[in-house]
Amino acid sequence: MGHGHHIEIKQEQFSVPSKGKTFAIVLMVLGLILTGIGVATLGKHKAGGHDSHAKTEQAAKSHEAAAPAHGEKAGHDAVAHAGTEGHAAVEHSNTDNPNFGPRIEYHPQDKPASTRIYTALLTIGYFLLLISLAALFFIAVQYIANAGWSAVIKRVPEAMSTFIPVAFILTFVVILLGKNDLYHWVHYEHLGLKKGDAGFDAILSGKSWFLNSNMLLIFPTVLVIIWVLIGMKLRKM
């Protein structure tokens, strides 16, 4: 005669301890404070850079104005120096290419504060989104491999994967507001250049079927919806 044993099955649920929540809130508040300090001081650094740049230009103009007073030797040296600078400028100039358009140089100090903020927020959004997606990928692999060892830790990546919509909303808002500053091809798209026009870029024109404003907003949205549905299905299983 067998002995009956009462087996109680409880639904597993991942929860964060109160100390962990408090620590996370403190870190977020600290991050917001440091972000505010960075935004407030960003304009000052830029202004200082422009001032020093203006002083350098002023000194160069004064030097050029005083150069003729040194006689023919100074003039000869100036011509030789100008020739050397001209040769270097030809090597490193933004020479227009009829096939690929002008070369684009990136100068972070010339970018407005909003562009730097958008860049930082975009990096954060992608980081959170990819971490959440990696957790979803881990869960999917466990189900495909029919693995049993991950049962004790599976709730953690499942909880992480639920953050995909939040991370996507952050990234989507940043892209929506700052796409003109973040992606140079968005500006090129609105120029409507055709082959033979000045500034025409064959590479960007060839990728225009994918690199366009509509695809930038629609394609990631469709992907995230698919990821969320997969995550919901895996959690129900």
Side-chain angles (χ1 to χ4, degrees):
M1 184 174 181
H3 297 281
H5 297 281
H6 177 69
I7 300 176
E8 183 179 358
I9 300 177
K10 295 182 179 180
Q11 182 178 2
E12 297 179 358
Q13 184 178 1
F14 175 76
S15 60
V16 181
S18 57
K19 291 184 179 180
K21 293 180 181 179
T22 303
F23 183 69
I25 293 175
V26 171
L27 289 181
M28 286 189 290
V29 173
L30 180 61
L32 290 175
I33 294 174
L34 294 178
T35 300
I37 294 175
V39 173
T41 57
L42 186 58
K44 296 180 180 180
H45 291 307
K46 187 177 180 181
H50 282 304
D51 291 341
S52 60
H53 182 66
K55 291 180 181 178
T56 304
E57 288 186 348
Q58 185 65 27
K61 291 181 180 179
S62 301
H63 180 72
E64 291 177 357
H70 294 287
E72 294 181 357
K73 185 177 183 302
H76 177 73
D77 293 342
V79 171
H81 183 66
T84 304
E85 288 185 345
H87 179 70
V90 170
E91 292 182 352
H92 302 285
S93 63
N94 290 335
T95 305
D96 291 344
N97 189 306
N99 295 324
F100 306 115
R103 188 179 67 180
I104 298 176
E105 290 188 356
Y106 178 69
H107 301 284
Q109 68 276 10
D110 296 333
K111 297 293 183 180
S114 59
T115 302
R116 304 188 191 184
I117 295 174
Y118 286 142
T119 304
L121 291 176
L122 184 67
T123 304
I124 295 172
Y126 276 132
F127 174 78
L128 296 176
L129 182 61
L130 291 178
I131 290 293
S132 305
L133 186 60
L136 179 62
F137 176 77
F138 174 82
I139 300 170
V141 170
Q142 302 309 307
Y143 275 102
I144 292 174
N146 198 21
W149 68 268
S150 60
V152 294
I153 64 170
K154 188 175 60 176
R155 300 305 179 193
V156 177
E158 282 184 354
M160 293 172 59
S161 65
T162 59
F163 199 75
I164 291 178
V166 180
F168 172 69
I169 290 175
L170 172 62
T171 308
F172 186 83
V173 171
V174 174
I175 292 177
L176 187 64
L177 297 178
K179 61 180 181 178
N180 293 326
D181 297 327
L182 294 171
Y183 304 107
H184 70 280
W185 50 265
V186 175
H187 175 71
Y188 179 83
E189 174 192 1
H190 297 301
L191 295 178
L193 299 177
K194 298 180 180 179
K195 190 173 183 179
D197 296 341
F200 174 79
D201 194 318
I203 294 179
L204 292 181
S205 296
K207 297 179 180 180
S208 60
W209 64 273
F210 182 77
L211 294 181
N212 58 76
S213 300
N214 294 330
M215 187 65 73
L216 179 63
L217 302 179
I218 296 175
F219 185 69
T221 304
V222 173
L223 282 181
V224 170
I225 292 175
I226 295 175
W227 294 337
V228 171
L229 294 177
I230 292 175
M232 293 174 60
K233 182 64 177 178
L234 290 177
R235 286 191 295 274
K236 287 182 179 179
M237 294 173 59

